Amino acid sequence: MVKGYLGIDPKTGLDKYTTLRGFTSKKSAADGYDDAVYEFKHGLRQATPKRPTIREAYESWYPMWKDTVRPATQRDAKQNFEHHIIPDFGDYFVDQLTPMDIQPWVNKLCRKFVTGPTIFGRLKMLLKFAGGMGWITINPAAMITIPHDRKRTSNHAQNNVYSIDELQQFSDALDREATALGTPAIMRRAFFRVIISTGVRRGEAIALTWDDVNFKDKTISITKTVLPKYNGVPESIGEPKTDHGNRLLKVGDDVLGALMQWRNRQESNAADNWVFTSRWEQHPRISYLLPQRWMELICERNNLRYITVHGLRHTKATLMAEDDISATDIAGTLGHSNSKFTVEHYIHNTQAGLNNASDKYNELLTKTVWSKSGHKNENVHESTGA
């Protein structure tokens, strides 16, 4: 190894030094150093940049990158790095991380988490940045294979979707509580009818103002969302999660009626024209976490199977699919960028859906295949006797 002075950097006016390795003799080291000085002097060589660790590279990259994406994406990426990437690779020098280090990590990640490929994608993006900075010449993440069809742990509750019968029971419970408990329950019914009907995200529903609700045209306009509290940063209002998040959704009279009933009960001086308001002056809008607590209490009080508020969004997607609405239209309603994501993550099998699919296929067989077989159907319910 040889360390030495190269000269003055013409861009900064600062002294530049280099460290060279891999020589087998003093002579070859001296020759290598002379070549480096010559190349730097004639603009053929730049001083070798200091190689950072993965943690240091992240600390350089994230402040620049975060302003190019939405706040929700910023938070997701930050969590990915803080919970998964930095703990495992933070102390590695960027030029020492190899495919042999990354591939077992990715395999384990994808077995454990549905979001494994996304977390890996963040690391790959950081290493691409490292390449642009001249810290590495080859991105080792480019040689990684993502495992497919592995059973992974989801952050969402299992079976987090209602059947049509369960949804009816939930709706009935909202009606009973609105009658029995008065104003707070009337607001809860309006909130959940909006969620059930439109499938909007929780933050999008909380961010609604009365200007977003058009009673004449029977529409609700989605243009913003509430960003949950994170790392001490309070809740805030931001843009919808995706480029397709801004949308105008039709709603029925049942939803508008519930909203109107709540509006008539709401205090007239509600700050900032929020639809769903808190009784506390310092927090005029309901918090991001409150609807989840509502869901828990409603299910508990009415002996209903519990799903999350987000599960109602999945329920809408699933029931729309069972009613033969196209995946493209479902994705548009939910504000997804593409229908593939909707089909893979939001549309679930239900027993009613499976039964309906079997009935339709059996009907097709009866009309075509069985009708041409010459076989006369027997009464399958007829007792054969003993």
Side-chain angles (χ1 to χ4, degrees):
M1 179 181 73
V2 61
K3 295 182 179 180
Y5 175 70
L6 290 177
I8 297 176
D9 188 330
K11 286 188 177 182
T12 65
L14 300 176
D15 291 335
K16 283 292 183 181
Y17 297 84
T18 189
T19 299
L20 305 173
R21 297 179 174 82
F23 301 108
T24 58
S25 66
K26 289 185 178 180
K27 184 178 184 309
S28 62
D31 291 342
Y33 171 67
D34 289 341
D35 289 342
V37 172
Y38 178 84
E39 291 173 0
F40 182 78
K41 181 178 180 181
H42 292 84
L44 302 176
R45 177 189 180 92
Q46 296 297 320
T48 303
K50 176 187 175 184
R51 57 173 184 164
T53 62
I54 292 293
R55 178 182 286 101
E56 291 169 338
Y58 166 70
E59 291 170 352
S60 297
W61 166 79
Y62 181 78
M64 294 184 289
W65 171 83
K66 71 181 181 67
D67 292 333
T68 68
V69 296
R70 289 179 170 82
T73 306
Q74 296 174 20
R75 287 194 301 274
D76 289 345
K78 192 174 181 67
Q79 287 179 325
N80 292 160
F81 277 97
E82 292 178 350
H83 296 168
H84 301 287
I85 298 171
I86 299 302
D88 291 330
F89 295 131
D91 294 331
Y92 281 61
F93 288 111
V94 291
D95 60 348
Q96 295 300 307
L97 194 61
T98 70
M100 294 299 292
D101 298 314
I102 301 173
Q103 186 68 66
W105 176 77
V106 169
N107 293 347
K108 180 181 178 181
L109 200 66
C110 290
R111 281 195 302 268
K112 193 171 183 181
F113 301 106
V114 170
T115 55
T118 301
I119 299 169
F120 163 67
R122 310 289 193 203
L123 175 62
K124 187 175 182 179
M125 189 162 46
L126 177 65
L127 291 172
K128 182 179 179 181
F129 167 76
M133 295 297 292
W135 297 330
I136 58 175
T137 56
I138 297 175
N139 186 342
M143 297 172 243
I144 300 304
T145 300
I146 300 294
H148 296 289
D149 294 328
R150 300 290 185 93
K151 290 185 177 180
R152 295 166 290 189
T153 300
S154 172
N155 293 327
H156 299 301
Q158 296 301 308
N159 194 22
N160 195 32
V161 61
Y162 274 154
S163 69
I164 190 67
D165 290 336
E166 289 175 311
L167 188 61
Q168 179 64 60
Q169 293 168 12
F170 180 73
S171 179
D172 290 344
L174 294 175
D175 290 339
R176 286 194 301 271
E177 293 201 351
T179 300
L181 303 178
T183 299
I186 288 173
M187 179 174 70
R188 289 195 291 269
R189 176 171 64 180
F191 178 87
F192 283 116
R193 281 198 180 180
V194 168
I195 295 280
I196 291 168
S197 175
T198 63
V200 296
R201 299 173 178 90
R202 183 193 344 177
E204 293 170 341
I206 296 172
L208 288 175
T209 62
W210 287 115
D211 294 334
D212 297 320
V213 182
N214 189 320
F215 288 95
K216 180 181 177 182
D217 294 340
K218 299 184 179 182
T219 60
I220 292 179
S221 179
I222 307 301
T223 60
K224 54 194 177 298
T225 190
V226 169
L227 304 172
K229 180 179 179 181
Y230 176 74
N231 266 10
V233 178
E235 290 182 4
S236 60
I237 299 294
E239 297 177 348
K241 189 174 181 179
T242 70
D243 292 335
H244 291 71
N246 290 297
R247 54 208 190 276
L248 186 67
L249 302 173
K250 295 282 289 185
V251 290
D253 291 336
D254 288 337
V255 176
L256 294 172
L259 284 168
M260 183 59 74
Q261 185 182 18
W262 160 238
R263 189 177 190 180
N264 292 336
R265 295 289 192 99
Q266 188 182 40
E267 293 183 8
S268 60
N269 62 344
D272 298 321
N273 206 28
W274 300 114
V275 173
F276 302 111
T277 48
S278 166
R279 291 174 294 177
W280 306 103
E281 290 184 4
Q282 63 270 36
H283 300 293
R285 167 180 41 78
I286 64 171
S287 73
Y288 186 83
L289 296 177
L290 184 58
Q292 197 60 53
R293 181 57 179 159
W294 287 347
M295 195 79 185
E296 293 169 357
L297 292 174
I298 292 167
C299 291
E300 181 181 338
R301 285 193 295 255
N302 294 275
N303 196 29
L304 301 174
R305 183 172 69 85
Y306 169 75
I307 67 171
T308 65
V309 175
H310 194 70
L312 293 174
R313 181 169 159 84
H314 284 243
T315 296
K316 176 182 172 70
T318 300
L319 295 180
M320 289 178 77
E322 289 183 358
D323 204 35
D324 294 328
I325 298 172
S326 73
T328 300
D329 289 337
I330 298 172
T333 299
L334 298 180
H336 289 160
S337 298
N338 64 77
S339 57
K340 181 180 178 182
F341 177 83
T342 306
V343 172
E344 290 181 351
H345 298 283
Y346 276 75
I347 296 175
H348 306 268
N349 289 330
T350 66
Q351 191 58 52
L354 294 174
N355 292 344
N356 183 52
S358 296
D359 289 342
K360 286 186 175 181
Y361 185 61
N362 286 330
E363 183 179 347
L364 174 64
L365 292 176
T366 300
K367 290 179 179 179
T368 57
V369 178
W370 305 151
S371 65
K372 298 178 181 179
S373 67
H375 174 71
K376 294 185 180 296
N377 293 329
E378 297 180 3
N379 187 348
V380 296
H381 300 292
E382 187 175 287
S383 174
T384 57

